[in-house]
Amino acid sequence: MGDVMKKKVLIVEDNSDLAYGLSNNLEIEGYIVEVAGDGLEGLNRARALQPDLIILDLMLPELDGYHVLRQLREEGFDMPVLILTARGEEADKVQGFRLGADQYVTKPFGLLELLARVERLLDRAGNTGNGDPEEAVVKFGDVTVDTAARRVTRGGDEVQLTPKEYELLAALLRRRGAAISRRELLGEVWGYPTMVVSRTVDTHVSELRRKLEEDPSDPRHIVTVRKIGYRLEP
């Protein structure tokens, strides 16, 4: 597992048996694990610990998982968050991804699958910034993207993007005007294309257009490529 020994995982789960089992198995894999039994405790532990990854239940006492996730993202915490819940409706998944979740696992789940997802999310987070070099500052229309600082401005004013919205924008920028399919975006931004509903991409694109386009209903820059996906026009 290499440097996994250094990776900290926070489990926010009110089912003590499930939390105990997950904690034991993650520790066997070499992770440092902490457990919080409710949403408020989980939020405070996340702030103090600043873990490398959070496994977050949605149905929690004190503060539900949606509120925990929203608060963390609003405070600038960008660690990967894997939502673990019994709720499997598509609307719940879309809501979770819109708030900045990275993965979504529905109970009951396979332990090996969950461990593989944890490892994959941590690998992706650790490799951020590696690979092909990107331009330090990219502009399109009145939007400026500072890739080193992950800062986006429009007309000189800073635009607040969720971590997933920024990663989606970065994926479009890397294509330099070429089209990219929804499936490619799901794999590149979310990591598990076969496990995530494609509507997630469309939802995030709509949010990007709302924040970055002069007329989101008639976008000039983040354009749809029929039967394929999207591309970014300069």
Side-chain angles (χ1 to χ4, degrees):
M1 297 286 288
D3 61 355
V4 162
M5 289 294 293
K6 304 175 184 176
K7 300 295 185 181
K8 296 176 290 186
V9 177
L10 173 63
I11 300 171
V12 188
E13 168 63 63
D14 63 326
N15 182 321
S16 57
D17 290 337
L18 177 57
Y20 179 78
L22 281 176
S23 179
N24 275 353
N25 280 279
L26 287 166
E27 286 174 349
I28 289 170
E29 292 296 312
Y31 299 100
I32 299 168
V33 184
E34 286 204 21
V35 177
D38 62 63
L40 188 58
E41 182 189 3
L43 182 57
N44 290 330
R45 287 278 187 93
R47 288 167 173 156
L49 180 65
Q50 296 190 27
D52 297 289
L53 179 139
I54 298 174
I55 297 176
L56 178 66
D57 191 15
L58 282 185
M59 304 299 289
L60 293 165
E62 303 296 335
L63 201 64
D64 69 35
Y66 289 132
H67 285 87
V68 173
L69 179 56
R70 180 186 292 111
Q71 190 64 37
L72 287 173
R73 294 315 191 205
E74 287 178 353
E75 293 178 16
F77 292 100
D78 61 356
M79 72 281 284
V81 174
L82 188 155
I83 290 179
L84 181 65
T85 180
R87 299 172 67 169
E89 293 298 321
E90 182 174 333
D92 293 326
K93 295 183 180 181
V94 171
Q95 173 72 353
F97 288 126
R98 288 187 68 175
L99 291 174
D102 296 86
Q103 286 288 324
Y104 198 113
V105 178
T106 304
K107 304 172 186 176
F109 56 88
L111 180 61
L112 292 178
E113 176 195 354
L114 179 67
L115 293 174
R117 292 205 189 194
V118 166
E119 184 175 0
R120 184 183 178 95
L121 282 173
L122 287 169
D123 284 345
R124 288 175 58 221
N127 290 330
T128 299
N130 297 336
D132 296 334
E134 297 179 3
E135 296 179 53
V137 178
V138 184
K139 297 182 179 181
F140 60 93
D142 62 349
V143 175
T144 301
V145 183
D146 182 338
T147 60
R150 292 173 65 96
R151 184 171 182 263
V152 180
T153 59
R154 179 183 171 202
D157 297 323
E158 186 164 1
V159 180
Q160 296 297 327
L161 300 182
T162 67
K164 277 288 164 279
E165 288 167 359
Y166 179 84
E167 289 175 25
L168 178 58
L169 177 61
L172 291 167
L173 288 171
R174 284 193 291 271
R175 291 308 190 280
R176 302 178 185 272
I180 179 170
S181 71
R182 289 176 177 83
R183 184 174 179 81
E184 287 177 302
L185 286 169
L186 285 169
E188 192 166 322
V189 177
W190 283 271
Y192 264 76
T194 59
M195 303 301 293
V196 185
V197 289
S198 62
R199 182 180 164 190
T200 300
V201 173
D202 299 331
T203 299
H204 280 72
V205 167
S206 294
E207 286 297 299
L208 277 182
R209 285 172 171 168
R210 183 179 66 80
K211 294 178 179 181
L212 302 179
E213 294 278 2
E214 182 176 349
D215 181 2
S217 64
D218 185 21
R220 292 183 52 202
H221 305 292
I222 305 170
V223 298
T224 301
V225 181
R226 190 166 177 267
K227 294 185 178 181
I228 299 178
Y230 299 96
R231 63 186 171 89
L232 190 67
E233 287 271 7

